[in-house]
Amino acid sequence: EVQLLGSGGGLVQPGGSLRLSCAASGFTFSSIAMNWVRQAPGQGLEWVSTIGGGGATYYADSVKGRFTISRDNSKNTLYLQMNSLRAEDTAVYYCAKTWHLDSWGQGTRVTVSS
Amino acid sequence: DVVMTQSPLSLPVTLGQPASISCRSSQSLVYSDGYTYLHWFQQRPGQSPRRLISGASNRDSGVPDRFSGSGSGTDFTLTISRVEAEDIGVYYCMQGTHWPRTFGQGTKLEIK
């Protein structure tokens, strides 16, 4: 059974940093593209970033230069390093697998506020 | 960026009746490999999104056959043949052909 367990969310001040993790199991993690998608309170879904199985990375313009997606295939874990956080980054962050988001994790909440 | 436009944004339906959601893209979603990467997701209240349909018309494993997807190019439709209570939630289309990936605004399905 595919499992994606997100963690690392919390309350952070504007300008601060946070690292999200997504622990994967039930599939061959190393060969599969992985994604982060976020949902601001009461809003729709927004794609944030994708990393391919070979390491190629893609970012939304809204986070480019501030967020870094990475993966540790030895730990079956996806990461999102978030720097220079802004109030508008407040959202639930979901990890999802494959280029076309066929399975999603439970989400981890990030709140950027002073 | 490819703009995905869904309609309606709110869809009141009677249980047992059909429902349809439209999704239009600002560019063709046909990729160079000939595949159309248009997907539909369901988000029930308080839950994570779940993919229902991939490639415009391919139902994911475990998805009831009352859900179907159709369309091509820039014009797509999600149809529920007979709405059940468990179908309540928000439905999103998403294009996976172009970078950045983009979602529609979401359509809220509710019971009349």
Side-chain angles (χ1 to χ4, degrees):
Chain A
E1 179 194 1
V2 170
Q3 289 198 341
L4 298 169
L5 187 61
S7 63
L11 174 63
V12 61
Q13 292 188 340
S17 298
L18 211 54
R19 189 177 82 157
L20 305 184
S21 300
C22 173
S25 60
F27 62 99
T28 305
F29 178 78
S30 60
S31 61
I32 299 294
M34 297 293 296
N35 312 268
W36 289 101
V37 176
R38 67 185 180 183
Q39 186 169 37
Q43 302 301 307
L45 301 173
E46 179 189 15
W47 171 78
V48 172
S49 184
T50 299
I51 183 167
T57 58
Y58 306 82
Y59 296 95
D61 283 347
S62 58
V63 307
K64 200 173 294 183
R66 299 188 300 123
F67 290 11
T68 302
I69 191 171
S70 63
R71 62 195 301 158
D72 185 336
N73 292 334
S74 69
K75 296 182 179 178
N76 286 355
T77 301
L78 172 73
Y79 301 102
L80 186 67
Q81 177 66 43
M82 304 186 296
N83 298 330
S84 303
L85 282 161
R86 307 166 179 167
E88 54 265 36
D89 296 317
T90 293
V92 174
Y93 285 73
Y94 296 100
C95 57
K97 69 181 265 288
T98 77
W99 293 109
H100 304 292
L101 289 74
D102 66 358
S103 294
W104 296 56
Q106 90 287 5
T108 185
R109 187 175 301 275
V110 173
T111 302
V112 184
S113 175
S114 55
Chain B
D1 297 2
V2 177
V3 177
M4 305 297 290
T5 303
Q6 289 183 227
S7 63
L9 299 185
S10 178
L11 184 55
V13 295
T14 302
L15 292 177
Q17 293 301 301
S20 286
I21 300 169
S22 170
C23 175
R24 289 191 167 91
S25 58
S26 61
Q27 298 178 33
S28 173
L29 299 186
V30 180
Y31 191 56
S32 54
D33 62 5
Y35 203 75
T36 298
Y37 294 102
L38 183 283
H39 314 308
W40 289 97
F41 299 87
Q42 175 195 60
Q43 187 175 31
R44 291 171 171 153
Q47 295 187 14
S48 300
R50 164 200 183 195
R51 199 179 72 181
L52 298 176
I53 302 282
S54 67
S57 60
N58 303 299
R59 214 168 25 247
D60 275 84
S61 175
V63 174
D65 60 7
R66 63 180 181 275
F67 289 93
S68 63
S70 62
S72 62
T74 62
D75 199 349
F76 304 92
T77 302
L78 176 70
T79 301
I80 309 173
S81 59
R82 295 173 306 279
V83 172
E84 297 189 7
E86 66 179 18
D87 300 336
I88 296 313
V90 182
Y91 291 79
Y92 297 92
C93 59
M94 187 207 86
Q95 64 83 17
T97 298
H98 304 280
W99 298 103
R101 306 311 197 205
T102 45
F103 288 90
Q105 315 98 300
T107 295
K108 187 174 185 179
L109 185 73
E110 52 195 13
I111 302 300
K112 273 185 188 175

